[in-house]
Amino acid sequence: MKNLICLSLVVFALLISCTKDLVVKDIKNKSIAINAPSDNFNTTGNSITFWWEPLEGAEKYNLQIVKPNFNSITQLVLDTEIVSNKFNKTLLPGVYQWRIKAINGGGSTAFQTFSFKIDTTSNLTNQIVSTIAPSTGFLTGNSKIAFSWNSLNSALQYQLVLLNASNGIIKDTTTSNTTYTYTFPAQGAFSWKLRALNNTSISQYNASQTFTIDLTPPAPSTPTAPTAFFPAHGFTSATPTTVLGWIRTGAPDARYDSIIVAVDSTFLNVISSTRTYQLNTTIGALNNSSAIISNSNYYFWRIISVDSVRNKSVPSPFRKFKML
């Protein structure tokens, strides 16, 4: 009996604990403690860190920035939701307002609004160049990369540094433009950073932006169906409902396949080319299938796999069929 009572108490405690976890805290009448930037903040630095204390019960925060204020908006600079309590933004000189509210499944706090100003200055020491592309995480199958960034007030030139995965310098160049194109000799992981210069000062480097060049094609998919070959003749009899199937050998890098059908084994006379994300299709579902169905000749099909950055595999071995 004592054991049963103890077990009941444990179950009851667990139920109470779970119920507490499921209850969403009411934050509607709460406010967020702001650390920076304070109201009417004035600076010559253009990299602003928005920072506040985490609010108990908040699941995320809605941060908005406008020029010059929310009563007469001329530019919406930012409207984003984040889960952390810090956000950095590089801005041009000007007058701004920002506001923030906390959000959870039960509602949100009221917006809290603050003003700040970034003054024009010829001193670049506390400035940071705002980059455009490529951004961190960029993945491409092109070795020719176009770098771009926003102009910085009072900057005369920009120093661009390209680095490999080991932070070894590949290219260190200076330009007066806000764009630069470079062709990398090989694939791999790279990063780039940038700073501005004038006759009297140099800005800080921006945080390095990392990107990857992938030039490796995926393995071609492997045809698997139909399997009922006629060994003496080397072909499979087929109808429009016959299923062509394959295994995506290059997965997960390979994203889709092109099913190529031709009237000759050299594939000089292609009559159908169909992109598919599936692992099978019927002959009748292929593009220009009427040309296949209305004919009693032999046909050849093979697969070319394509990855996320459009690298193409070599063609798979072909298979042969004849319409009944």
Side-chain angles (χ1 to χ4, degrees):
M1 183 66 178
K2 185 182 291 184
N3 289 339
L4 182 59
I5 292 173
C6 290
L7 180 59
S8 299
L9 289 173
V10 170
V11 171
F12 179 74
L14 288 172
L15 288 173
I16 292 296
S17 175
C18 291
T19 302
K20 286 181 178 179
D21 290 340
L22 293 174
V23 173
V24 176
K25 292 185 181 295
D26 184 0
I27 62 173
K28 294 178 183 177
N29 296 320
K30 294 185 177 182
S31 60
I32 303 169
I34 304 300
N35 293 325
S38 58
D39 198 20
N40 298 314
F41 176 68
N42 197 324
T43 182
T44 56
N46 69 335
S47 180
I48 306 297
T49 298
F50 300 86
W51 177 31
W52 56 94
E53 294 299 320
L55 180 65
E56 184 180 0
E59 296 172 358
K60 56 186 176 181
Y61 303 90
N62 180 203
L63 173 65
Q64 298 177 345
I65 308 171
V66 299
K67 292 182 70 175
N69 57 64
F70 286 98
N71 291 326
S72 55
I73 298 173
T74 60
Q75 181 185 354
L76 174 62
V77 179
L78 179 76
D79 185 352
T80 188
E81 291 185 347
I82 56 177
V83 296
S84 68
N85 66 321
K86 258 183 193 178
F87 188 87
N88 185 265
K89 181 71 175 174
T90 302
L91 300 165
L92 297 173
V95 175
Y96 297 86
Q97 272 194 338
W98 71 287
R99 66 184 184 184
I100 188 170
K101 67 178 180 180
I103 304 170
N104 67 13
S108 67
T109 65
F111 271 115
Q112 295 169 238
T113 305
F114 308 89
S115 300
F116 66 98
K117 181 180 180 181
I118 299 176
D119 275 333
T120 301
T121 178
S122 60
N123 187 347
L124 301 176
T125 305
N126 295 319
Q127 306 287 303
I128 292 179
V129 183
S130 174
T131 57
I132 299 174
S135 57
T136 288
F138 178 65
L139 173 65
T140 180
N142 193 341
S143 60
K144 187 177 182 180
I145 305 296
F147 299 89
S148 61
W149 54 91
N150 292 309
S151 60
L152 188 61
N153 190 59
S154 299
L156 298 179
Q157 291 184 312
Y158 301 91
Q159 183 182 4
L160 172 67
V161 181
L162 309 180
L163 305 107
N164 59 26
S166 302
N167 287 323
I169 296 176
I170 299 172
K171 185 76 174 179
D172 187 338
T173 188
T174 302
T175 176
S176 58
N177 299 319
T178 56
T179 59
Y180 184 82
T181 301
Y182 182 76
T183 300
F184 288 79
Q187 66 176 9
F190 304 95
S191 63
W192 68 293
K193 60 183 182 179
L194 188 73
R195 64 181 180 179
L197 306 87
N198 63 21
N199 293 329
T200 58
S201 58
I202 301 174
S203 78
Q204 304 172 47
Y205 277 114
N206 66 296
S208 294
Q209 308 290 298
T210 59
F211 61 96
T212 301
I213 297 174
D214 176 9
L215 305 178
T216 303
S221 292
T222 304
T224 57
T227 57
F229 283 90
F230 292 83
H233 304 286
F235 70 92
T236 300
S237 61
T239 68
T241 59
T242 297
V243 174
L244 305 180
W246 55 91
I247 296 173
R248 190 162 289 144
T249 314
D253 191 36
R255 294 300 177 87
Y256 64 87
D257 298 294
S258 291
I259 312 305
I260 314 298
V261 180
V263 296
D264 61 296
S265 62
T266 60
F267 286 80
L268 294 176
N269 297 300
V270 173
I271 60 172
S272 174
S273 179
T274 305
R275 174 193 292 191
T276 177
Y277 291 87
Q278 307 301 318
L279 295 178
N280 60 72
T281 186
T282 62
I283 291 176
L286 298 173
N287 291 342
N288 304 318
S289 59
S290 59
I292 302 173
I293 296 170
S294 63
N295 220 303
S296 60
N297 291 334
Y298 294 104
Y299 295 95
F300 302 82
W301 70 284
R302 66 185 184 186
I303 304 170
I304 294 176
S305 299
V306 185
D307 68 15
S308 59
V309 291
R310 299 185 179 179
N311 292 316
K312 294 182 179 180
S313 73
V314 297
S316 70
F318 68 79
R319 289 202 173 187
K320 180 180 177 184
F321 64 85
K322 182 178 182 180
M323 297 300 295
L324 293 176

